[in-house]
Amino acid sequence: MFREGLLVVVSGPSGTGKGTVLNYLREREKSIKFSVSATTRQPRSGEVDGVNYFFKTNEEFENMIKNGELVEWVRYCDNYYGTPKKCIEDTIKSGYDCLLEIEVEGALNIKKIYPDSVSIFILPPSFEELRRRIESRGTEKPEVIEKRMEKALKEMKLIDKYDYVIINDEVEKAVNSICYILASEKLKSSRNKNILESIGLC
Ligand code: 5GP
């Protein structure tokens, strides 16, 4: 029986290992399509236009806003980031789940627009571990590390706005948890009204 895909939003402060968890998930669950956001930030080494992001100039991004092409957008660390609308709606309608990896403000906006979406927040095992992970990258100066820690704390305070929380103490466990959440969501009676119709109950 055909069912629309789920819209899934995943957030978590930098240093939670969210990227690693989502890369594993991408390999394992081929029924999930990952939304590609538009951004005005510069590509990092190895990033490909149309795969990691659609890299835009400020003018191009502002035109996308004007033309109503983005379902949500934010200014984050002096750059624009936004989710293209058509892509997520086409994915869901084709029966695939669509996953957005976006920051907290965007996630809350998506929940308002799509109350049926499923939101998941990924946490590090502890604050000490978060600091250790950010420091161990060796790419950030001490003042940037402090900024990221502050931002992480701010974001974590909004955790109760999310439907689910996952502690990333082990990548495989975290990936399994996401799969359990999605499987349970698909079994919700509210998402299966057509089954009742098909057996003549409504
Ligand atoms: P980065 O520059 O490290 O790739 O991303 C910075 C932050 O922007 C991350 O928290 C990422 O999840 C978030 N982000 C990426 N795309 C979008 C988007 O389309 N909308 C929103 N609201 N946040 C996004």
Side-chain angles (χ1 to χ4, degrees):
M1 192 170 300
F2 179 77
R3 187 199 348 240
E4 281 197 352
L6 297 174
L7 181 58
V8 185
V9 176
V10 178
S11 306
S14 103
T16 49
K18 178 183 56 170
T20 312
V21 170
L22 295 182
N23 282 339
Y24 271 75
L25 182 70
R26 191 194 296 257
E27 282 306 305
R28 206 168 107 176
E29 289 297 319
K30 300 295 181 196
S31 66
I32 303 176
K33 304 280 177 206
F34 284 62
S35 159
V36 179
S37 294
T39 185
T40 55
R41 88 146 158 74
Q42 290 301 305
R44 293 183 187 132
S45 141
E47 285 186 331
V48 177
D49 187 36
V51 175
N52 304 93
Y53 281 104
F54 294 109
F55 294 101
K56 303 284 177 191
T57 61
N58 273 312
E59 195 187 345
E60 286 168 339
F61 197 100
E62 283 161 7
N63 279 334
M64 290 179 86
I65 298 173
K66 263 191 232 142
N67 298 334
E69 292 172 47
L70 300 172
V71 67
E72 64 77 36
W73 61 271
V74 291
R75 286 287 291 179
Y76 182 93
C77 295
D78 300 329
N79 281 303
Y80 283 119
Y81 291 82
T83 308
K85 189 174 183 173
K86 185 166 171 7
C87 180
I88 64 172
E89 296 198 339
D90 288 352
T91 303
I92 292 165
K93 285 199 180 104
S94 67
Y96 283 97
D97 299 328
C98 182
L99 190 143
L100 316 182
E101 187 217 322
I102 61 178
E103 52 67 64
V104 174
E105 188 186 338
L108 300 185
N109 287 335
I110 289 284
K111 195 70 177 171
K112 277 187 213 141
I113 303 165
Y114 301 95
D116 270 0
S117 60
V118 181
S119 56
I120 303 173
F121 197 95
I122 300 189
L123 275 179
S126 66
F127 223 58
E128 290 69 38
E129 178 59 15
L130 182 74
R131 179 181 288 280
R132 197 196 61 73
R133 287 181 187 176
I134 295 177
E135 285 176 350
S136 70
R137 286 183 193 155
T139 51
E140 266 107 12
K141 295 185 191 138
E143 61 271 25
V144 178
I145 292 174
E146 288 319 313
K147 259 196 183 157
R148 285 191 178 257
M149 291 296 292
E150 265 172 43
K151 188 150 185 61
L153 184 61
K154 232 175 163 180
E155 287 179 344
M156 285 190 221
K157 285 192 174 150
L158 291 167
I159 207 162
D160 63 334
K161 309 276 183 229
Y162 283 72
D163 299 318
Y164 298 94
V165 175
I166 291 175
I167 297 178
N168 180 24
D169 48 1
E170 220 182 281
V171 174
E172 200 178 338
K173 237 170 75 190
V175 173
N176 286 341
S177 298
I178 296 180
C179 294
Y180 298 147
I181 290 168
L182 303 193
S184 310
E185 281 289 333
K186 286 176 187 175
L187 293 173
K188 276 188 169 169
S189 54
S190 57
R191 294 193 196 272
N192 287 286
K193 296 224 166 86
N194 53 354
I195 292 181
L196 297 183
E197 277 167 26
S198 73
I199 55 174
L201 285 176
C202 69

